[in-house]
Amino acid sequence: DQQVKQNSPSLSVQEGRISILNCDYTNSMFDYFLWYKKYPAEGPTFLISISSIKDKNEDGRFTVFLNKSAKHLSLHIVPSQPGDSAVYFCAASATTQGGSEKLVFGKGTKLTVNP
Amino acid sequence: EAGVVQSPRYKIIEKKQPVAFWCNPISGHNTLYWYLQNLGQGPELLIRYENEEAVDDSQLPKDRFSAERLKGVDSTLKIQPAELGDSAVYLCASSRRDGEETQYFGPGTRLLVL
């Protein structure tokens, strides 16, 4: 049972346009969400995160939106650049009394930004 | 600040052979994680350490996998014997403490079992 779902395996956009990557989750206990970017032959690199007490977090060209009622989050990249071409993973965790539970990852979305 | 270091980067072995992976976390990070990533999938947690204590090893196949973090810094993940299905990327990550949600990953070790 996949708790974190990225339903689009791939996305292609033109340079300068907006990229929107989507992620859905099923576990209502998740309260912290992260996006990682992964280039080939490298480990995932942390990009941006959001706590469940917020509905938006922005860092430069990257903005993450969280809709708790829909159990949905999205990553917006504006403007998209060719160097953004990578696989993007959505991840989620639940905070318990003992600390943070493990990160649960989606399967990833491969973003291609065309010059 | 140096990132998470892993070695080797690539390893090719024959089935039934043993193999070991090494990880050095970011300095000052008490929590260390080992993940398995199969092709086309996201990383899946194998084991999580808080200092030298394994606080979550529920996903580690203990019949053939073992891990240690003796001094609470470096860690080693071992497979003995390796099977064809173990071919994957093994990722190590670290965070400042348990409850610090942002985990930082190393480059991974790509294992191919023939």
Side-chain angles (χ1 to χ4, degrees):
Chain A
D1 178 33
Q2 247 191 308
Q3 297 187 67
V4 177
K5 299 178 183 179
Q6 294 176 257
N7 292 320
S8 298
S10 62
L11 174 68
S12 183
V13 300
Q14 285 299 120
E15 181 178 5
R17 306 295 290 269
I18 184 172
S19 295
I20 300 177
L21 296 97
N22 294 303
C23 178
D24 297 293
Y25 61 97
T26 57
N27 189 340
S28 58
M29 298 302 292
F30 288 149
D31 58 2
Y32 195 73
F33 305 88
L34 307 89
W35 285 94
Y36 285 84
K37 178 171 72 172
K38 186 181 182 304
Y39 292 118
E42 295 184 12
T45 302
F46 170 70
L47 196 56
I48 193 170
S49 62
I50 188 167
S51 166
S52 59
I53 62 173
K54 295 184 176 181
D55 54 17
K56 176 183 174 181
N57 189 26
E58 190 172 350
D59 183 2
R61 297 186 296 112
F62 303 92
T63 303
V64 56
F65 295 92
L66 175 63
N67 183 333
K68 289 187 292 293
S69 61
K71 294 190 177 68
H72 177 84
L73 65 155
S74 60
L75 174 67
H76 293 211
I77 307 173
V78 182
S80 301
Q81 299 174 354
D84 296 329
S85 298
V87 177
Y88 289 78
F89 289 99
C90 172
S93 69
T95 303
T96 65
Q97 199 171 8
S100 187
E101 294 287 321
K102 65 180 181 181
L103 281 181
V104 180
F105 284 83
K107 291 186 176 183
T109 296
K110 183 177 181 180
L111 173 66
T112 302
V113 180
N114 301 303
Chain B
E1 181 182 71
V4 177
V5 179
Q6 290 188 248
S7 69
R9 291 294 311 275
Y10 304 92
K11 189 73 176 180
I12 302 175
I13 61 172
E14 293 187 346
K15 63 180 181 182
K16 300 184 182 179
Q17 294 300 306
V19 65
F21 315 124
W22 175 81
C23 173
N24 181 245
I26 293 173
S27 177
H29 281 197
N30 297 328
T31 307
L32 183 146
Y33 313 77
W34 283 102
Y35 285 86
L36 166 70
Q37 185 175 19
N38 287 304
L39 190 65
Q41 305 292 318
E44 297 177 31
L45 182 70
L46 288 172
I47 188 168
R48 173 166 60 109
Y49 281 94
E50 182 67 23
N51 296 309
E52 64 273 9
E53 181 185 0
V55 296
D56 183 358
D57 63 355
S58 57
Q59 302 302 311
L60 190 71
K62 298 181 183 62
D63 57 337
R64 298 183 300 107
F65 286 67
S66 65
E68 59 184 16
R69 194 185 184 201
L70 294 176
K71 297 183 179 179
V73 180
D74 295 3
S75 177
T76 302
L77 177 69
K78 297 178 181 177
I79 309 175
Q80 183 171 8
E83 297 179 352
L84 295 176
D86 296 331
S87 296
V89 177
Y90 292 81
L91 293 161
C92 180
S94 69
S95 63
R96 284 194 179 87
R97 62 185 181 277
D98 201 18
E100 171 64 41
E101 295 87 351
T102 302
Q103 297 177 24
Y104 298 89
F105 285 81
T109 296
R110 185 175 298 275
L111 173 67
L112 179 60
V113 182
L114 301 176

